[in-house]
Amino acid sequence: MLPRRKLRALKSAPAIQSRFANVNGTRLHYLIAGQGDPVVLLHGYAETSHMWLPLMPKLATSRTVIAPDLRGAGQSSTPADGYTKAAMARDIHALTQKLGYERIRIVGHDIGLMVAYAFAAQYPDEVDRIVLMDAFLPGVGKWRDVWLMRDLWHFHFYGETPLALVDGRERIYFEHFWNDFAADRTRSVPEEDRRLYTAAYARPGGMRAGFEIFRAFERDAQDFARFAQTPLPMPMLVLTGERASGEFLIEQGRLAATNVEGVIVRHAGHWLMEEAPDQVIPTLVDFLGR
């Protein structure tokens, strides 16, 4: 159920429906609204499709907006495997095909940007535009400078012992992301959303699935290094937080695509939709509407 705050904001907006689809051997939950050419929105780790609620009504006035819960997250299934970003992209491709869409515009934040990139790299003729929002691309350029950063220990935190350590303490674990990656933790992910996301990942299989996303990074790096040998031809927007990815992701984007527009969101950290909606939402609406 959506929090009352979000329900009030969406009262006069195009209706957002919650649906499920069995695709690519798993059950995906997704939100959908509007009519017209499709835009797919992919969330990142420590969040779900819920993060896109402020943006969906803005796009749904002229487009069909689809925001799935990625494999292992939200209300989607938590299978034992399939967490390379190329495989997760095939989930999304199967969903768009099942919904009858042959061409899409795609946006991804955090892990979602890796899935969005893998989608565009595997199906370049089916993507009109792509947006990457604050994280990094494994296997592209100096990606190990991020992957091996000491402060990003969670990239290597998976397996039986980490699962035992976070069992019943999921909120403590996620506070690391929501607080430490924000420019100002008081303007990061709001409390009611923190409770919602914690509950979503604390369900059976949720934390293990999230850890498998990180375990797959080395395989992702191999896949992405191969993908980047053929730069993406469609327009790409790279949005980064000034106090997060900064120029790094923009530089990676230019190694992976030929037509890249980079925007650094001033005074923002990693949580762009929450920390700087007044900057980010108009920029997304403009780029996706071209």
Side-chain angles (χ1 to χ4, degrees):
M1 179 176 292
L2 305 182
R4 293 178 182 175
R5 170 174 66 86
K6 296 285 178 65
L7 283 171
R8 287 195 299 269
L10 299 173
K11 188 174 181 181
S12 61
I16 297 177
Q17 300 178 47
S18 174
R19 297 181 184 174
F20 292 86
N22 293 317
V23 295
N24 199 28
T26 194
R27 186 170 187 252
L28 292 187
H29 170 256
Y30 63 99
L31 303 176
I32 187 167
Q35 293 182 333
D37 295 337
V39 176
V40 176
L41 308 175
L42 303 179
H43 67 86
Y45 189 61
E47 295 191 309
T48 70
S49 58
H50 179 86
M51 69 165 285
W52 299 115
L53 290 181
L55 174 64
M56 291 183 71
K58 306 291 186 180
L59 297 174
T61 57
S62 59
R63 298 186 180 276
T64 300
V65 189
I66 305 155
D69 286 336
L70 295 171
R71 170 184 295 242
Q75 298 180 58
S76 291
S77 296
T78 58
D81 54 19
Y83 294 97
T84 67
K85 309 316 166 287
M88 295 172 78
R90 290 192 287 272
D91 289 346
I92 305 306
H93 183 256
L95 176 62
T96 59
Q97 292 287 299
K98 188 164 190 171
L99 294 176
Y101 298 114
E102 299 296 330
R103 295 184 65 85
I104 66 169
R105 299 180 177 207
I106 192 165
V107 180
H109 174 252
D110 186 75
I111 297 300
L113 80 78
M114 301 178 192
V115 180
Y117 173 70
F119 187 112
Q122 292 177 101
Y123 312 104
D125 293 338
E126 299 180 29
V127 178
D128 287 330
R129 288 175 175 265
I130 181 172
V131 182
L132 308 183
M133 294 175 60
D134 209 86
F136 74 108
L137 293 170
V140 177
K142 298 181 179 180
W143 73 281
R144 289 181 181 273
D145 291 350
V146 173
W147 186 53
L148 297 176
M149 286 180 66
R150 183 173 57 186
D151 291 346
L152 302 182
W153 52 266
H154 58 272
F155 289 160
H156 315 277
F157 187 75
Y158 46 75
E160 292 184 6
T161 299
L163 279 173
L165 289 171
V166 301
D167 184 28
R169 305 176 184 88
E170 293 86 1
R171 173 67 184 259
I172 297 172
Y173 171 71
F174 285 125
E175 292 289 337
H176 159 61
F177 298 88
W178 299 324
N179 293 340
D180 296 351
F181 297 168
D184 178 352
R185 67 176 59 189
T186 66
R187 299 180 62 188
S188 180
V189 176
E191 173 61 26
E192 61 186 320
D193 290 355
R194 294 185 186 212
R195 291 196 295 266
L196 184 150
Y197 296 139
T198 299
Y201 282 90
R203 70 198 172 106
M207 294 304 295
R208 178 191 50 76
F211 287 172
E212 289 302 308
I213 285 173
F214 296 134
R215 190 197 297 270
F217 274 1
E218 289 187 81
R219 173 59 188 275
D220 296 331
Q222 297 172 16
D223 291 340
F224 284 22
R226 184 177 72 256
F227 292 157
Q229 293 176 11
T230 305
L232 298 180
M234 74 287 296
M236 172 186 285
L237 171 64
V238 181
L239 273 176
T240 69
E242 180 181 22
R243 301 183 186 179
S245 296
E247 290 284 355
F248 186 84
L249 180 61
I250 296 172
E251 293 170 0
Q252 283 192 309
R254 289 173 177 151
L255 293 174
T258 58
N259 183 3
V260 178
E261 176 182 344
V263 176
I264 296 177
V265 181
R266 301 301 176 189
H267 311 298
H270 178 66
W271 307 103
L272 297 177
M273 283 291 297
E274 292 82 7
E275 295 185 65
D278 292 346
Q279 296 179 63
V280 171
I281 291 177
T283 301
L284 290 172
V285 171
D286 173 69
F287 180 79
L288 295 167
R290 294 180 198 169

